[in-house]
C-alpha cells in the first residue's frame, strides 16, 4: 500500500509506472494474435489484472493522475474522424447511404434509451447508454474486409458507414451527455430550477465547442500551409490537440466535438496533399496512446460488479444490435439501395471498442461528484453521478468485448452471403 501511495505522490514514479504499463501492455496485446482477438482486448485485460479488480496496482488515485492520457487520446481520435468527414465524399455516397447512417445511429439510440429507461427508470443513465450505443469500431470491420479481400457494393457501403457513423455518434453523445449532466446538476441543487436551462446548457456547450473547433481548425490550416515537412506539420497538430483538449477541460466544452470540427474544417478547406501529410503522421503516435488508453480503460472495469449487471448488459446488447441492424435496413429501404446492402450491412457495423470506451471514460470523469448522495463508503460520499460512471464503464467495457468477438464474425457472414468473399479465400 505504501508503494502505491508513493506512486501517486511522486511524479517520477508515475512516469516509471507509465513506462511499465507501456511495455507490459504491448507484449500482452501481442499475445492476442494467438487467440485471434484484437490487440486492444489484450490491453484491456492487462488493465483489469493491474486494476482494482485483481492486484489494485493501478488504483483510482493513479487512474486520476493519468486521466490526461485519456483526454489526449480522445482528442486524436476525434481529429482523425474529422479528417474523414469530407463533404464531397458524403455527396458521392448517395442519399441511400446517408439514410442508413442516420437511421442506424438514431435507431440504436432510441431502442437503447427505451430499453434502459424501462428497466431502471433512470433518465440520465438511459441517455448515457443510448448516447454510447451508436459508436462503432471500424477497425474490426475493415480488418475482415482486407483479410478476405472482399469486393463489391456492400464492401464499399461498409467502408462509408463505419467511416462516418462515429462522427454522428459523437455529436449525439455531445448533446445527450450534456443534457444528462445538467439533470444530475439539477438534482444536486447546483443548477438553476429553471427547466429551460436543462435544454440551454447542452446547446451552449455544443455551440461553443463547434465555434472553438472552427477557430482552431482555421488557425491550424493557416500555420500548416506554411510548412512543407510532414514531421513539422505533425508537431503543430500535436500542439493544437493539446491546446484544444486543455482549453475544453478548463471551459467545460466537449473535446471530442471540438477536435472533430477541427479535422472537418481542415479536410474541407485545404488541399488533399496537405490533408494527406496530416493523416499519414497520425498513425505513428496512435498505437502508443492507445496502449495506455485501453490499459487504463481495463483498469476501470470492476469485475465484482459484473454479476449484478447481467440484465442491464443483456438489454444493452440486444437493443443496440436491434437498433443498428433494424435502422440500417430501414434506411436502405427508404434510400432504395441494393437488396444485399439492405439485408447485410447491419451485420457489419456491430463491433464496438475504442470510441465507446472512451465515451464511457468521459462519463466516469466528468460526472464525478454530480447528483445526489446515494451512499457513503469509508466516509466518502458516493453521488448518483459517481454511481452512473462506474456502471457505464463496467457495462460498456464488458459488452465491448462481446461486440468485438461477434462483430467480425457477423461481418464475414454478411459479406459471404452477399457474394463478396470468394470461396477460395
Amino acid at each position: 500500500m505504501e508503494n502505491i501511495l508513493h506512486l501517486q505522490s511522486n511524479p517520477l514514479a508515475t512516469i516509471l509506472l507509465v513506462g511499465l504499463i507501456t511495455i507490459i501492455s504491448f507484449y500482452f496485446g501481442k499475445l492476442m494474435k494467438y487467440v485471434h482477438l484484437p490487440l486492444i482486448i489484450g490491453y484491456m485485460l492487462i488493465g483489469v489484472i493491474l486494476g482494482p479488480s485483481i492486484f489494485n496496482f493501478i488504483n483510482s488515485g493513479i487512474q486520476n493522475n493519468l486521466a490526461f492520457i485519456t483526454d489526449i487520446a480522445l482528442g486524436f481520435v476525434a481529429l482523425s474522424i474529422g479528417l474523414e468527414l469530407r463533404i464531397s465524399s458524403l455527396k458521392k455516397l448517395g442519399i441511400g447511404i446517408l439514410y442508413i447512417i442516420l437511421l442506424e445511429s438514431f435507431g440504436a439510440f432510441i431502442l437503447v434509451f427505451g430499453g434502459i429507461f424501462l428497466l431502471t427508470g433512470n433518465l440520465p443513465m438511459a441517455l448515457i447508454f443510448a448516447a454510447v450505443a451508436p459508436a462503432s469500431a471500424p477497425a474490426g470491420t475493415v480488418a475482415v474486409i482486407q483479410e478476405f479481400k472482399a469486393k463489391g457494393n456492400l464492401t464499399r457501403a461498409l467502408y462509408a458507414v463505419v467511416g462516418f457513423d462515429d462522427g454522428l455518434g459523437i455529436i449525439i453523445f455531445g448533446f445527450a451527455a450534456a443534457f444528462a449532466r445538467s439533470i444530475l446538476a439539477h438534482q444536486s441543487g447546483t443548477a438553476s430550477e429553471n427547466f429551460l436551462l436543462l435544454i440551454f446548457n447542452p446547446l451552449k456547450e455544443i455551440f461553443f465547442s463547434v465555434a472553438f473547433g472552427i477557430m482552431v481548425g482555421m488557425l491550424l490550416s493557416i500555420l500548416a500551409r506554411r510548412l512543407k515537412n510532414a514531421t513539422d506539420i505533425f508537431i503543430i497538430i500535436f500542439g493544437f490537440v493539446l491546446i484544444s483538449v486543455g482549453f475544453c477541460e478548463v471551459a467545460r466544452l466537449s473535446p471530442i466535438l471540438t477536435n472533430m470540427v477541427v479535422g472537418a474544417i481542415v479536410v474541407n478547406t485545404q488541399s488533399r496533399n496537405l490533408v494527406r501529410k496530416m493523416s499519414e503522421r497520425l498513425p505513428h503516435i496512435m498505437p502508443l496512446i492507445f496502449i495506455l488508453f485501453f490499459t487504463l480503460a481495463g483498469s476501470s472495469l470492476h469485475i465484482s460488479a459484473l454479476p449484478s449487471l447481467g440484465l442491464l448488459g443483456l438489454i444493452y446488447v440486444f437493443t443496440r444490435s436491434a437498433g443498428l441492424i433494424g435502422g440500417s435496413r430501414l434506411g436502405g429501404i427508404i434510400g432504395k439501395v441494393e437488396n444485399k446492402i439492405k439485408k447485410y450491412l447491419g451485420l457489419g457495423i456491430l463491433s464496438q471498442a475504442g470510441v465507446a470506451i472512451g465515451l464511457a471514460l468521459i462519463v466516469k470523469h466528468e460526472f464525478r461528484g454530480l447528483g445526489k448522495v446515494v451512499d457513503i463508503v469509508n466516509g466518502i460520499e458516493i453521488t448518483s453521478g459517481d454511481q452512473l460512471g462506474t456502471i457505464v464503464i463496467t457495462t460498456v467495457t464488458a459488452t465491448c468485448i462481446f461486440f468485438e468477438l461477434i462483430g467480425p464474425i457477423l461481418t464475414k457472414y454478411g459479406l459471404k452471403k452477399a457474394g463478396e468473399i470468394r470461396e477460395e479465400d
Side-chain angles (χ1 to χ4, degrees), residues 336-394:
K336 298 179 180 179
V337 301
E338 192 174 350
N339 190 52
K340 64 180 180 181
I341 296 178
K342 285 187 291 189
K343 291 176 65 176
Y344 301 119
L345 187 140
L347 299 178
I349 57 176
L350 293 181
S351 293
Q352 187 174 49
V355 174
I357 294 172
L359 297 178
L361 284 171
I362 286 181
V363 174
K364 185 175 184 293
H365 291 298
E366 294 193 356
F367 282 54
R368 187 170 48 233
L370 289 177
K372 57 187 178 182
V373 177
V374 295
D375 197 5
I376 298 179
V377 179
N378 296 328
I380 300 176
E381 293 183 342
I382 305 298
T383 67
S384 54
D386 297 325
Q387 194 177 66
L388 174 59
T390 299
I391 291 173
V392 169
I393 188 63
T394 302

Side-chain angles (χ1 to χ4, degrees), residues 188-410:
S188 63
T190 59
S192 170
E193 293 297 321
N194 188 350
F195 182 76
L196 290 177
L197 289 178
L198 296 179
I199 300 175
F200 175 73
N201 286 337
L203 293 177
K204 182 177 68 174
E205 177 178 332
I206 297 299
F207 173 80
F208 283 109
S209 296
V210 172
F212 183 60
I214 292 173
M215 183 181 70
V216 173
M218 293 175 63
L219 183 57
L220 171 60
S221 299
I222 292 172
L223 294 178
R225 281 202 306 265
R226 301 174 184 273
L227 300 173
K228 302 299 181 182
N229 188 287
T231 301
D232 294 340
I233 293 174
F234 174 74
I235 292 173
I236 295 297
I237 292 174
F238 190 86
F240 271 103
V241 169
L242 295 186
I243 289 171
S244 59
V245 168
F247 182 83
C248 288
E249 180 69 22
V250 173
R252 305 296 295 173
L253 301 180
S254 168
I256 291 182
L257 185 55
T258 296
N259 283 284
M260 189 182 71
V261 171
V262 171
I265 290 295
V266 171
V267 78
N268 286 289
T269 61
Q270 303 306 305
S271 67
R272 290 183 180 271
N273 183 49
L274 178 59
V275 173
R276 179 184 57 79
K277 288 181 179 179
M278 290 184 173
S279 300
E280 69 183 11
R281 285 296 185 270
L282 287 178
H284 291 215
I285 191 173
M286 296 299 277
L288 172 60
I289 289 179
F290 280 141
I291 285 176
L292 299 171
F293 177 77
F294 285 111
T295 303
L296 291 173
S299 70
S300 299
L301 174 61
H302 295 271
I303 295 177
S304 60
L306 287 178
S308 62
L309 296 174
L311 183 57
L312 183 66
L314 186 63
I315 288 178
Y316 176 76
V317 167
F318 177 77
T319 52
R320 178 179 183 268
S321 301
L324 292 176
I325 295 173
S328 62
R329 187 174 181 85
L330 179 60
I333 292 173
I334 295 175
K336 298 179 180 179
V337 301
E338 192 174 350
N339 190 52
K340 64 180 180 181
I341 296 178
K342 285 187 291 189
K343 291 176 65 176
Y344 301 119
L345 187 140
L347 299 178
I349 57 176
L350 293 181
S351 293
Q352 187 174 49
V355 174
I357 294 172
L359 297 178
L361 284 171
I362 286 181
V363 174
K364 185 175 184 293
H365 291 298
E366 294 193 356
F367 282 54
R368 187 170 48 233
L370 289 177
K372 57 187 178 182
V373 177
V374 295
D375 197 5
I376 298 179
V377 179
N378 296 328
I380 300 176
E381 293 183 342
I382 305 298
T383 67
S384 54
D386 297 325
Q387 194 177 66
L388 174 59
T390 299
I391 291 173
V392 169
I393 188 63
T394 302
T395 305
V396 170
T397 304
T399 55
C400 277
I401 294 175
F402 170 80
F403 280 122
E404 278 296 275
L405 290 171
I406 197 68
I409 295 173
L410 292 179

